[in-house]
Amino acid sequence: VLNDFWYVAARSAEIGAVPLARTLLNVPVAFFRTATGEVAAVRDLCSHRGAPLSRGKVLADRIQCPYHGLQFDASGRCVHIPNQRTIPASAHLRAFPLVEQLGIVWIWMGDPEAADAAAVPLTPWREGAEWNAETTYYYHVRASHLLMTDNLLDLAHVAYVHAGTIGFDPSRLERDPLVTEVEGRRVRNTRILPDVEPGPVVRDWGAFTGTVKRTSISEWVPPCFTFIRFVNEDAAAKVEMRIDHLITPETDRTHHYWVLVSRNFRIADPDLTRRMYEDNDRVHHEDVAIVEATQRSLDGCPDFREMSIAQDRGLNAAHRILAQLATSSAG
Ligand code: FES
Ligand SMILES: [Fe+2]
């Protein structure tokens, strides 16, 4: 796991007066929000006897352990031990740098000296007045985060896994090849289908009656982010969506998966927002289901070695970038 990156920890609304327990990168973390609204994250393991602080109470600017009442501030410093004046240095806890931005709380689990808030991935379309960015999803997925990354870099699955939702006729894959570009550490997959029958969900978004030009540009950014631009247009209408897929490893075999959907059409239409929420939720469940099933079948075959097909160019490029990052962070 690559530690020196910003990862998504939570949606802002999840962190309030009651502490939140969440394991990220194999580390249990307790999140809380102080009375002044600041978010805080400390190791969810009390320095005294190891109780989970996330089961404790938030008192103004501190969190109190549920077991014997030790109190810690947002920086992890132990500030109170019942019936004791001196606080030994060993009482302090590890705290994690956080950045709260556009409804998302980002966490830095690596070397705190290297945490640079300017390196948090930006999603500027989520604050533009011409966009509706209300729709966000969270899934807990019982599979390695690498399998979900593979799914997102692999646009060949769309025609099959999503046949009933956002898919298209699989024979189109032969005529309209995928363009894969690698720019530094980014991998971009572009597929333009100039004249395609839209799936039922897409048909509804643009009130399309015939075929459309379908453009999907998927940009993968290490360690675990995929930003997708999805445009469907005909002579009468053009609808664009931004779908931000943000993954955070939980354990080696499980991950957290957030999807943020923004759209620039019919933005003040709450019925469409609700319908789109449901439609996209079905699409994401299709991905979660195939990825979890793949993890289960891989678990049963430890000797399995995968093979590549032509469609896997983007995925292979990302694997090379991840391997380089892993080597440089180990060295
Ligand atoms: S375990 Fe937390 S105060 Fe004792
Ligand atoms: Fe998918």
Side-chain angles (χ1 to χ4, degrees), residues 199-218:
V201 167
V202 173
R203 188 177 297 285
D204 173 52
W205 294 342
F208 297 118
T209 51
T211 60
V212 295
K213 176 180 176 192
R214 178 190 192 283
T215 304
S216 102
I217 304 170
S218 150

Side-chain angles (χ1 to χ4, degrees), residues 148 151-152 154-155 157-158 161-162 166 228 245 257 283-284 286-288 290-291:
M148 188 60 87
N151 171 277
L152 289 162
D154 149 20
L155 303 184
H157 81 273
V158 175
V161 173
H162 305 305
I166 55 167
I228 298 178
H245 299 263
Y257 179 34
V283 175
H284 304 143
E286 289 167 348
D287 288 312
V288 169
I290 191 72
V291 164

Side-chain angles (χ1 to χ4, degrees), residues 113-168:
E113 296 290 306
D116 173 10
V120 172
L122 295 174
T123 53
W125 47 91
R126 299 192 59 245
E127 54 185 339
E130 68 278 25
W131 290 88
N132 176 315
E134 293 170 314
T135 308
T136 62
Y137 306 83
Y138 167 78
Y139 305 92
H140 178 261
V141 186
R142 284 162 297 171
S144 159
H145 66 283
L146 296 169
L147 292 182
M148 188 60 87
T149 290
D150 288 357
N151 171 277
L152 289 162
L153 278 155
D154 149 20
L155 303 184
H157 81 273
V158 175
Y160 298 94
V161 173
H162 305 305
T165 48
I166 55 167
F168 49 83

Side-chain angles (χ1 to χ4, degrees), residues 123-137 240-244 259-277 280:
T123 53
W125 47 91
R126 299 192 59 245
E127 54 185 339
E130 68 278 25
W131 290 88
N132 176 315
E134 293 170 314
T135 308
T136 62
Y137 306 83
E240 178 167 344
M241 286 171 66
R242 298 276 188 158
I243 309 136
D244 311 319
V259 186
L260 316 178
V261 179
S262 314
R263 71 176 195 268
N264 74 349
F265 53 95
R266 291 159 62 188
I267 61 171
D269 180 343
D271 275 349
L272 181 66
T273 302
R274 187 180 38 74
R275 213 161 51 239
M276 276 184 67
Y277 179 87
N280 288 315

